[in-house]
Amino acid sequence: MTAPNSPATFTGQCYCGAVCFSVTLYAPAIFAGYCHCDDCRRAHASPLYHFAYVDASAFTLESGDAQIREYVRDERLSPSLKRCFCDVCGSRVFNRLAPEFEGRVQPHIGVFPAILNEAGASAHPFLKPRYHLHSREATLALDCVQDRLPRR
């Protein structure tokens, strides 16, 4: 277990290994949870996915910058969200989110604990999900998920 104020560093990569990254955290992710929305289900080909958004300064792209492609489905719906994937293997690697708050853009990176190299990273206190997002859109029967996390 990481001690308070002690950093935790995680590494991850795409399916083929062309894109590698690291994330160093000193505190829990800005927001972390499971998303059930239609867009995320389609983007990840999964009934839900675990995300953890961190300050962009915590994220380092170690290799594969030339292989990263960004996709925005509809600029009008979510202009600040870019889904980033490897153009070699097609794996989703991270998201870029740049929301504006009080007139200032605050860049975040969304990492997916499922593609981190460290065993148990999904359960680490800094990455652990804190809620289910868009649970009304869920295709998975959530009554069988007994994690006691709030459903939004």
Side-chain angles (χ1 to χ4, degrees):
M1 183 71 58
T2 303
N5 300 323
S6 178
T9 298
F10 305 95
T11 59
Q13 65 187 50
C14 65
Y15 184 61
C16 72
V19 177
C20 297
F21 63 90
S22 63
V23 180
T24 300
L25 300 173
Y26 292 84
I30 298 164
F31 47 100
Y34 296 113
C35 191
H36 299 270
C37 81
D38 183 66
D39 283 351
C40 291
R41 285 196 323 267
R42 290 177 190 284
H44 291 270
S46 179
L48 73 145
Y49 90 101
H50 180 185
F51 63 87
Y53 277 85
V54 302
D55 188 273
S57 65
F59 180 86
T60 303
L61 189 57
E62 303 289 349
S63 63
D65 186 52
Q67 282 70 45
I68 291 292
R69 297 294 175 264
E70 295 180 344
Y71 179 75
V72 177
R73 181 171 169 216
D74 188 336
E75 285 279 345
R76 294 167 299 156
L77 296 176
S78 55
S80 68
L81 176 67
K82 293 178 174 41
R83 298 177 187 272
C84 301
F85 62 95
C86 171
D87 73 355
V88 177
C89 64
S91 292
R92 290 287 311 287
V93 186
F94 58 91
N95 288 343
R96 293 183 199 273
L97 181 64
E100 189 174 318
F101 182 71
E102 296 180 351
R104 192 168 78 88
V105 173
Q106 299 179 327
H108 303 327
I109 298 291
V111 296
F112 314 126
I115 67 168
L116 296 176
N117 297 324
E118 292 73 24
S122 320
H124 189 282
F126 289 174
L127 299 172
K128 199 165 115 174
R130 299 191 292 267
Y131 49 82
H132 287 265
L133 191 60
H134 300 289
S135 58
R136 288 190 184 110
E137 295 180 49
T139 58
L140 179 70
L142 289 183
D143 56 341
C144 70
V145 178
Q146 303 295 319
D147 58 15
R148 297 188 178 152
L149 294 174
R151 316 271 204 239
R152 297 181 179 170

